[in-house]
Amino acid sequence: GAVVSQHPSWVICKSGTSVKIECRSLDFQATTMFWYRQFPKQSLMLMATSNEGSKATYEQGVEKDKFLINHASLTLSTLTVTSAHPEDSSFYICSARDPFGGSYEQYFGPGTRLTVT
Amino acid sequence: AQKVTQAQTEISVVEKEDVTLDCVYETRDTTYYLFWYKQPPSGELVFLIRRNSFDEQNEISGRYSWNFQKSTSSFNFTITASQVVDSAVYFCALWMTTDSWGKLQFGAGTQVVVTP
């Protein structure tokens, strides 16, 4: 099956710094990738939809200037949390749409656990 | 509104007991897709099943079974003869086609705890 990787798997950063999370589709090209955030004991919430070569579409309430998404190639999307604060500590999960499946087919990465101190 | 409701926050069972997880959805779409995912403590989502709105047949896969009933907008999931490895959070999700590329709406999740 299709594989999606994320790097790093966990990161600790200091308040005020920025951190970049990578999402890669390893054996297929993904024109669309999704970024989710999951706080402890809560559900996954979609943050944004990323399309290769165009600007990301952010969900209501997600600050686009704080969560920068770049989808520069068909196999890589990055999420940069700028000026991170402790409230940004969360589990960030990406997924990539299967280009050969239905629009609903997506493969999830293993997630990145961000802790801001 | 389109949403997914998992009313059970946590279910605790003893190994070998059966456990049923409820999922009720709401959508205006005539074509839609429902999913179940398992999230073990590691955090990685594990895909379990996808069902489209036109296929109401129940499905069984090993110890897992799903009951899809459009009349009650429910897509319930049963684990038969539960095992400790089944301990995880289980999410029901609805694929919504509200825009050109759609998105997944997750329920709140149900924590299943299986004790030996």
Side-chain angles (χ1 to χ4, degrees), chain A residues 44-73:
Chain A
L44 283 78
M45 299 298 295
L46 180 66
M47 298 176 67
T49 300
S50 162
N51 285 290
E52 187 265 338
S54 62
K55 290 184 178 180
T57 300
Y58 290 81
E59 294 299 299
Q60 194 171 7
V62 178
E63 300 174 59
K64 59 183 67 177
D65 295 330
K66 181 170 184 62
F67 299 99
L68 302 179
I69 292 173
N70 183 279
H71 192 161
S73 80

PDB file of all heavy atoms in Angstrom, chain A residues 44-73:
ATOM      1  N   LEU A  44      -9.137  14.361  15.633  1.00  0.00           N
ATOM      2  CA  LEU A  44      -8.340  15.034  14.613  1.00  0.00           C
ATOM      3  C   LEU A  44      -9.162  16.167  14.015  1.00  0.00           C
ATOM      4  O   LEU A  44     -10.334  15.988  13.671  1.00  0.00           O
ATOM      5  CB  LEU A  44      -7.963  14.061  13.486  1.00  0.00           C
ATOM      6  CG  LEU A  44      -6.862  13.072  13.742  1.00  0.00           C
ATOM      7  CD1 LEU A  44      -7.348  11.903  14.579  1.00  0.00           C
ATOM      8  CD2 LEU A  44      -6.279  12.566  12.423  1.00  0.00           C
ATOM      9  N   MET A  45      -8.512  17.299  13.880  1.00  0.00           N
ATOM     10  CA  MET A  45      -9.169  18.447  13.274  1.00  0.00           C
ATOM     11  C   MET A  45      -8.365  18.867  12.051  1.00  0.00           C
ATOM     12  O   MET A  45      -7.154  19.099  12.148  1.00  0.00           O
ATOM     13  CB  MET A  45      -9.255  19.613  14.262  1.00  0.00           C
ATOM     14  CG  MET A  45     -10.064  19.293  15.508  1.00  0.00           C
ATOM     15  SD  MET A  45     -11.789  18.893  15.157  1.00  0.00           S
ATOM     16  CE  MET A  45     -12.382  20.454  14.520  1.00  0.00           C
ATOM     17  N   LEU A  46      -9.043  18.991  10.926  1.00  0.00           N
ATOM     18  CA  LEU A  46      -8.369  19.420   9.711  1.00  0.00           C
ATOM     19  C   LEU A  46      -7.926  20.868   9.853  1.00  0.00           C
ATOM     20  O   LEU A  46      -8.718  21.735  10.236  1.00  0.00           O
ATOM     21  CB  LEU A  46      -9.309  19.266   8.510  1.00  0.00           C
ATOM     22  CG  LEU A  46      -8.746  19.664   7.159  1.00  0.00           C
ATOM     23  CD1 LEU A  46      -7.605  18.733   6.749  1.00  0.00           C
ATOM     24  CD2 LEU A  46      -9.844  19.655   6.098  1.00  0.00           C
ATOM     25  N   MET A  47      -6.656  21.111   9.545  1.00  0.00           N
ATOM     26  CA  MET A  47      -6.136  22.465   9.587  1.00  0.00           C
ATOM     27  C   MET A  47      -6.176  23.112   8.210  1.00  0.00           C
ATOM     28  O   MET A  47      -6.592  24.256   8.055  1.00  0.00           O
ATOM     29  CB  MET A  47      -4.679  22.467  10.074  1.00  0.00           C
ATOM     30  CG  MET A  47      -4.466  21.934  11.467  1.00  0.00           C
ATOM     31  SD  MET A  47      -2.718  21.881  11.868  1.00  0.00           S
ATOM     32  CE  MET A  47      -2.319  23.619  11.926  1.00  0.00           C
ATOM     33  N   ALA A  48      -5.716  22.345   7.221  1.00  0.00           N
ATOM     34  CA  ALA A  48      -5.612  22.913   5.893  1.00  0.00           C
ATOM     35  C   ALA A  48      -5.485  21.814   4.854  1.00  0.00           C
ATOM     36  O   ALA A  48      -5.067  20.697   5.146  1.00  0.00           O
ATOM     37  CB  ALA A  48      -4.399  23.842   5.815  1.00  0.00           C
ATOM     38  N   THR A  49      -5.851  22.194   3.641  1.00  0.00           N
ATOM     39  CA  THR A  49      -5.698  21.315   2.480  1.00  0.00           C
ATOM     40  C   THR A  49      -4.647  21.953   1.581  1.00  0.00           C
ATOM     41  O   THR A  49      -4.737  23.150   1.259  1.00  0.00           O
ATOM     42  CB  THR A  49      -7.023  21.183   1.721  1.00  0.00           C
ATOM     43  OG1 THR A  49      -8.001  20.635   2.608  1.00  0.00           O
ATOM     44  CG2 THR A  49      -6.866  20.269   0.525  1.00  0.00           C
ATOM     45  N   SER A  50      -3.689  21.140   1.203  1.00  0.00           N
ATOM     46  CA  SER A  50      -2.557  21.640   0.440  1.00  0.00           C
ATOM     47  C   SER A  50      -2.540  21.023  -0.951  1.00  0.00           C
ATOM     48  O   SER A  50      -2.560  19.809  -1.088  1.00  0.00           O
ATOM     49  CB  SER A  50      -1.283  21.252   1.210  1.00  0.00           C
ATOM     50  OG  SER A  50      -0.141  21.320   0.415  1.00  0.00           O
ATOM     51  N   ASN A  51      -2.518  21.864  -1.962  1.00  0.00           N
ATOM     52  CA  ASN A  51      -2.439  21.389  -3.334  1.00  0.00           C
ATOM     53  C   ASN A  51      -1.113  21.800  -3.951  1.00  0.00           C
ATOM     54  O   ASN A  51      -0.685  22.948  -3.792  1.00  0.00           O
ATOM     55  CB  ASN A  51      -3.597  21.942  -4.161  1.00  0.00           C
ATOM     56  CG  ASN A  51      -4.897  21.250  -3.842  1.00  0.00           C
ATOM     57  OD1 ASN A  51      -5.101  20.094  -4.158  1.00  0.00           O
ATOM     58  ND2 ASN A  51      -5.778  21.963  -3.176  1.00  0.00           N
ATOM     59  N   GLU A  52      -0.497  20.880  -4.633  1.00  0.00           N
ATOM     60  CA  GLU A  52       0.810  21.120  -5.219  1.00  0.00           C
ATOM     61  C   GLU A  52       0.772  22.306  -6.152  1.00  0.00           C
ATOM     62  O   GLU A  52      -0.098  22.394  -7.034  1.00  0.00           O
ATOM     63  CB  GLU A  52       1.277  19.867  -5.959  1.00  0.00           C
ATOM     64  CG  GLU A  52       2.693  19.951  -6.474  1.00  0.00           C
ATOM     65  CD  GLU A  52       2.769  20.401  -7.915  1.00  0.00           C
ATOM     66  OE1 GLU A  52       1.774  20.262  -8.634  1.00  0.00           O
ATOM     67  OE2 GLU A  52       3.833  20.891  -8.332  1.00  0.00           O
ATOM     68  N   GLY A  53       1.676  23.235  -5.930  1.00  0.00           N
ATOM     69  CA  GLY A  53       1.815  24.387  -6.801  1.00  0.00           C
ATOM     70  C   GLY A  53       0.859  25.527  -6.541  1.00  0.00           C
ATOM     71  O   GLY A  53       0.891  26.534  -7.260  1.00  0.00           O
ATOM     72  N   SER A  54       0.017  25.393  -5.545  1.00  0.00           N
ATOM     73  CA  SER A  54      -0.902  26.492  -5.249  1.00  0.00           C
ATOM     74  C   SER A  54      -0.965  26.731  -3.743  1.00  0.00           C
ATOM     75  O   SER A  54      -0.428  25.958  -2.954  1.00  0.00           O
ATOM     76  CB  SER A  54      -2.294  26.202  -5.806  1.00  0.00           C
ATOM     77  OG  SER A  54      -2.850  25.058  -5.207  1.00  0.00           O
ATOM     78  N   LYS A  55      -1.630  27.803  -3.383  1.00  0.00           N
ATOM     79  CA  LYS A  55      -1.730  28.138  -1.967  1.00  0.00           C
ATOM     80  C   LYS A  55      -2.640  27.155  -1.241  1.00  0.00           C
ATOM     81  O   LYS A  55      -3.624  26.666  -1.792  1.00  0.00           O
ATOM     82  CB  LYS A  55      -2.280  29.554  -1.810  1.00  0.00           C
ATOM     83  CG  LYS A  55      -1.320  30.646  -2.241  1.00  0.00           C
ATOM     84  CD  LYS A  55      -1.913  32.024  -1.963  1.00  0.00           C
ATOM     85  CE  LYS A  55      -0.935  33.099  -2.360  1.00  0.00           C
ATOM     86  NZ  LYS A  55      -1.497  34.464  -2.090  1.00  0.00           N
ATOM     87  N   ALA A  56      -2.312  26.937   0.010  1.00  0.00           N
ATOM     88  CA  ALA A  56      -3.126  26.028   0.817  1.00  0.00           C
ATOM     89  C   ALA A  56      -4.456  26.678   1.183  1.00  0.00           C
ATOM     90  O   ALA A  56      -4.569  27.909   1.245  1.00  0.00           O
ATOM     91  CB  ALA A  56      -2.366  25.640   2.079  1.00  0.00           C
ATOM     92  N   THR A  57      -5.431  25.859   1.399  1.00  0.00           N
ATOM     93  CA  THR A  57      -6.742  26.322   1.863  1.00  0.00           C
ATOM     94  C   THR A  57      -6.864  25.986   3.336  1.00  0.00           C
ATOM     95  O   THR A  57      -6.808  24.814   3.711  1.00  0.00           O
ATOM     96  CB  THR A  57      -7.875  25.648   1.077  1.00  0.00           C
ATOM     97  OG1 THR A  57      -7.739  25.965  -0.294  1.00  0.00           O
ATOM     98  CG2 THR A  57      -9.237  26.121   1.578  1.00  0.00           C
ATOM     99  N   TYR A  58      -7.049  27.005   4.157  1.00  0.00           N
ATOM    100  CA  TYR A  58      -7.075  26.811   5.602  1.00  0.00           C
ATOM    101  C   TYR A  58      -8.514  26.724   6.110  1.00  0.00           C
ATOM    102  O   TYR A  58      -9.414  27.385   5.600  1.00  0.00           O
ATOM    103  CB  TYR A  58      -6.362  27.971   6.304  1.00  0.00           C
ATOM    104  CG  TYR A  58      -4.865  27.976   6.079  1.00  0.00           C
ATOM    105  CD1 TYR A  58      -4.321  28.505   4.910  1.00  0.00           C
ATOM    106  CD2 TYR A  58      -4.006  27.452   7.031  1.00  0.00           C
ATOM    107  CE1 TYR A  58      -2.945  28.496   4.694  1.00  0.00           C
ATOM    108  CE2 TYR A  58      -2.636  27.449   6.835  1.00  0.00           C
ATOM    109  CZ  TYR A  58      -2.113  27.975   5.665  1.00  0.00           C
ATOM    110  OH  TYR A  58      -0.757  27.958   5.457  1.00  0.00           O
ATOM    111  N   GLU A  59      -8.690  25.918   7.124  1.00  0.00           N
ATOM    112  CA  GLU A  59      -9.997  25.810   7.765  1.00  0.00           C
ATOM    113  C   GLU A  59     -10.233  27.050   8.631  1.00  0.00           C
ATOM    114  O   GLU A  59      -9.280  27.739   9.053  1.00  0.00           O
ATOM    115  CB  GLU A  59     -10.072  24.551   8.623  1.00  0.00           C
ATOM    116  CG  GLU A  59     -10.010  23.271   7.810  1.00  0.00           C
ATOM    117  CD  GLU A  59     -11.155  23.143   6.831  1.00  0.00           C
ATOM    118  OE1 GLU A  59     -12.328  23.108   7.277  1.00  0.00           O
ATOM    119  OE2 GLU A  59     -10.887  23.060   5.609  1.00  0.00           O
ATOM    120  N   GLN A  60     -11.484  27.295   8.870  1.00  0.00           N
ATOM    121  CA  GLN A  60     -11.854  28.459   9.682  1.00  0.00           C
ATOM    122  C   GLN A  60     -11.201  28.359  11.062  1.00  0.00           C
ATOM    123  O   GLN A  60     -11.229  27.304  11.700  1.00  0.00           O
ATOM    124  CB  GLN A  60     -13.379  28.501   9.827  1.00  0.00           C
ATOM    125  CG  GLN A  60     -13.912  29.810  10.342  1.00  0.00           C
ATOM    126  CD  GLN A  60     -15.435  29.874  10.254  1.00  0.00           C
ATOM    127  OE1 GLN A  60     -16.086  28.885   9.932  1.00  0.00           O
ATOM    128  NE2 GLN A  60     -15.989  31.029  10.541  1.00  0.00           N
ATOM    129  N   GLY A  61     -10.618  29.454  11.492  1.00  0.00           N
ATOM    130  CA  GLY A  61     -10.005  29.502  12.809  1.00  0.00           C
ATOM    131  C   GLY A  61      -8.529  29.137  12.823  1.00  0.00           C
ATOM    132  O   GLY A  61      -7.885  29.259  13.866  1.00  0.00           O
ATOM    133  N   VAL A  62      -7.993  28.698  11.706  1.00  0.00           N
ATOM    134  CA  VAL A  62      -6.570  28.353  11.631  1.00  0.00           C
ATOM    135  C   VAL A  62      -5.822  29.546  11.050  1.00  0.00           C
ATOM    136  O   VAL A  62      -6.154  30.034   9.969  1.00  0.00           O
ATOM    137  CB  VAL A  62      -6.343  27.107  10.755  1.00  0.00           C
ATOM    138  CG1 VAL A  62      -4.845  26.805  10.649  1.00  0.00           C
ATOM    139  CG2 VAL A  62      -7.095  25.912  11.327  1.00  0.00           C
ATOM    140  N   GLU A  63      -4.810  30.003  11.776  1.00  0.00           N
ATOM    141  CA  GLU A  63      -4.070  31.194  11.345  1.00  0.00           C
ATOM    142  C   GLU A  63      -3.082  30.831  10.247  1.00  0.00           C
ATOM    143  O   GLU A  63      -2.082  30.143  10.484  1.00  0.00           O
ATOM    144  CB  GLU A  63      -3.308  31.781  12.530  1.00  0.00           C
ATOM    145  CG  GLU A  63      -4.177  32.205  13.698  1.00  0.00           C
ATOM    146  CD  GLU A  63      -3.312  32.626  14.882  1.00  0.00           C
ATOM    147  OE1 GLU A  63      -2.509  33.558  14.716  1.00  0.00           O
ATOM    148  OE2 GLU A  63      -3.429  32.017  15.957  1.00  0.00           O
ATOM    149  N   LYS A  64      -3.325  31.325   9.059  1.00  0.00           N
ATOM    150  CA  LYS A  64      -2.455  30.996   7.933  1.00  0.00           C
ATOM    151  C   LYS A  64      -1.066  31.594   8.069  1.00  0.00           C
ATOM    152  O   LYS A  64      -0.097  31.078   7.517  1.00  0.00           O
ATOM    153  CB  LYS A  64      -3.107  31.403   6.619  1.00  0.00           C
ATOM    154  CG  LYS A  64      -3.444  32.849   6.482  1.00  0.00           C
ATOM    155  CD  LYS A  64      -4.164  33.120   5.165  1.00  0.00           C
ATOM    156  CE  LYS A  64      -5.530  32.479   5.141  1.00  0.00           C
ATOM    157  NZ  LYS A  64      -6.281  32.778   3.903  1.00  0.00           N
ATOM    158  N   ASP A  65      -0.938  32.690   8.777  1.00  0.00           N
ATOM    159  CA  ASP A  65       0.382  33.291   8.954  1.00  0.00           C
ATOM    160  C   ASP A  65       1.203  32.580  10.020  1.00  0.00           C
ATOM    161  O   ASP A  65       2.421  32.750  10.099  1.00  0.00           O
ATOM    162  CB  ASP A  65       0.244  34.765   9.323  1.00  0.00           C
ATOM    163  CG  ASP A  65      -0.364  35.571   8.198  1.00  0.00           C
ATOM    164  OD1 ASP A  65      -0.155  35.191   7.021  1.00  0.00           O
ATOM    165  OD2 ASP A  65      -1.042  36.569   8.479  1.00  0.00           O
ATOM    166  N   LYS A  66       0.540  31.819  10.850  1.00  0.00           N
ATOM    167  CA  LYS A  66       1.241  31.089  11.896  1.00  0.00           C
ATOM    168  C   LYS A  66       1.602  29.682  11.428  1.00  0.00           C
ATOM    169  O   LYS A  66       2.655  29.161  11.764  1.00  0.00           O
ATOM    170  CB  LYS A  66       0.363  30.991  13.140  1.00  0.00           C
ATOM    171  CG  LYS A  66       1.023  30.252  14.294  1.00  0.00           C
ATOM    172  CD  LYS A  66       0.233  30.377  15.550  1.00  0.00           C
ATOM    173  CE  LYS A  66       0.983  29.697  16.685  1.00  0.00           C
ATOM    174  NZ  LYS A  66       2.292  30.338  16.949  1.00  0.00           N
ATOM    175  N   PHE A  67       0.733  29.086  10.670  1.00  0.00           N
ATOM    176  CA  PHE A  67       0.946  27.725  10.172  1.00  0.00           C
ATOM    177  C   PHE A  67       1.152  27.798   8.665  1.00  0.00           C
ATOM    178  O   PHE A  67       0.204  27.790   7.884  1.00  0.00           O
ATOM    179  CB  PHE A  67      -0.243  26.830  10.518  1.00  0.00           C
ATOM    180  CG  PHE A  67      -0.484  26.684  11.991  1.00  0.00           C
ATOM    181  CD1 PHE A  67      -1.453  27.448  12.628  1.00  0.00           C
ATOM    182  CD2 PHE A  67       0.271  25.800  12.747  1.00  0.00           C
ATOM    183  CE1 PHE A  67      -1.672  27.315  13.996  1.00  0.00           C
ATOM    184  CE2 PHE A  67       0.061  25.662  14.110  1.00  0.00           C
ATOM    185  CZ  PHE A  67      -0.910  26.426  14.740  1.00  0.00           C
ATOM    186  N   LEU A  68       2.428  27.898   8.277  1.00  0.00           N
ATOM    187  CA  LEU A  68       2.773  28.058   6.873  1.00  0.00           C
ATOM    188  C   LEU A  68       2.880  26.698   6.204  1.00  0.00           C
ATOM    189  O   LEU A  68       3.613  25.827   6.664  1.00  0.00           O
ATOM    190  CB  LEU A  68       4.102  28.816   6.743  1.00  0.00           C
ATOM    191  CG  LEU A  68       4.136  30.210   7.383  1.00  0.00           C
ATOM    192  CD1 LEU A  68       5.519  30.819   7.192  1.00  0.00           C
ATOM    193  CD2 LEU A  68       3.060  31.106   6.813  1.00  0.00           C
ATOM    194  N   ILE A  69       2.152  26.549   5.128  1.00  0.00           N
ATOM    195  CA  ILE A  69       2.161  25.275   4.407  1.00  0.00           C
ATOM    196  C   ILE A  69       2.714  25.503   3.017  1.00  0.00           C
ATOM    197  O   ILE A  69       2.291  26.417   2.304  1.00  0.00           O
ATOM    198  CB  ILE A  69       0.750  24.667   4.340  1.00  0.00           C
ATOM    199  CG1 ILE A  69       0.311  24.233   5.746  1.00  0.00           C
ATOM    200  CG2 ILE A  69       0.710  23.475   3.384  1.00  0.00           C
ATOM    201  CD1 ILE A  69      -1.123  23.777   5.832  1.00  0.00           C
ATOM    202  N   ASN A  70       3.653  24.656   2.645  1.00  0.00           N
ATOM    203  CA  ASN A  70       4.259  24.713   1.324  1.00  0.00           C
ATOM    204  C   ASN A  70       4.183  23.334   0.687  1.00  0.00           C
ATOM    205  O   ASN A  70       4.599  22.349   1.280  1.00  0.00           O
ATOM    206  CB  ASN A  70       5.713  25.177   1.435  1.00  0.00           C
ATOM    207  CG  ASN A  70       6.358  25.328   0.075  1.00  0.00           C
ATOM    208  OD1 ASN A  70       6.795  24.355  -0.529  1.00  0.00           O
ATOM    209  ND2 ASN A  70       6.393  26.541  -0.420  1.00  0.00           N
ATOM    210  N   HIS A  71       3.656  23.285  -0.518  1.00  0.00           N
ATOM    211  CA  HIS A  71       3.526  22.008  -1.223  1.00  0.00           C
ATOM    212  C   HIS A  71       4.219  22.173  -2.567  1.00  0.00           C
ATOM    213  O   HIS A  71       3.561  22.273  -3.603  1.00  0.00           O
ATOM    214  CB  HIS A  71       2.035  21.684  -1.379  1.00  0.00           C
ATOM    215  CG  HIS A  71       1.747  20.282  -1.815  1.00  0.00           C
ATOM    216  ND1 HIS A  71       0.504  19.696  -1.642  1.00  0.00           N
ATOM    217  CD2 HIS A  71       2.501  19.345  -2.406  1.00  0.00           C
ATOM    218  CE1 HIS A  71       0.519  18.474  -2.121  1.00  0.00           C
ATOM    219  NE2 HIS A  71       1.724  18.235  -2.589  1.00  0.00           N
ATOM    220  N   ALA A  72       5.535  22.216  -2.525  1.00  0.00           N
ATOM    221  CA  ALA A  72       6.322  22.584  -3.695  1.00  0.00           C
ATOM    222  C   ALA A  72       6.530  21.456  -4.688  1.00  0.00           C
ATOM    223  O   ALA A  72       6.873  21.696  -5.835  1.00  0.00           O
ATOM    224  CB  ALA A  72       7.682  23.125  -3.256  1.00  0.00           C
ATOM    225  N   SER A  73       6.340  20.222  -4.249  1.00  0.00           N
ATOM    226  CA  SER A  73       6.517  19.098  -5.166  1.00  0.00           C
ATOM    227  C   SER A  73       5.402  18.090  -4.948  1.00  0.00           C
ATOM    228  O   SER A  73       4.637  18.194  -3.979  1.00  0.00           O
ATOM    229  CB  SER A  73       7.874  18.433  -4.950  1.00  0.00           C
ATOM    230  OG  SER A  73       7.836  17.557  -3.837  1.00  0.00           O
TER     231      SER A  73
END
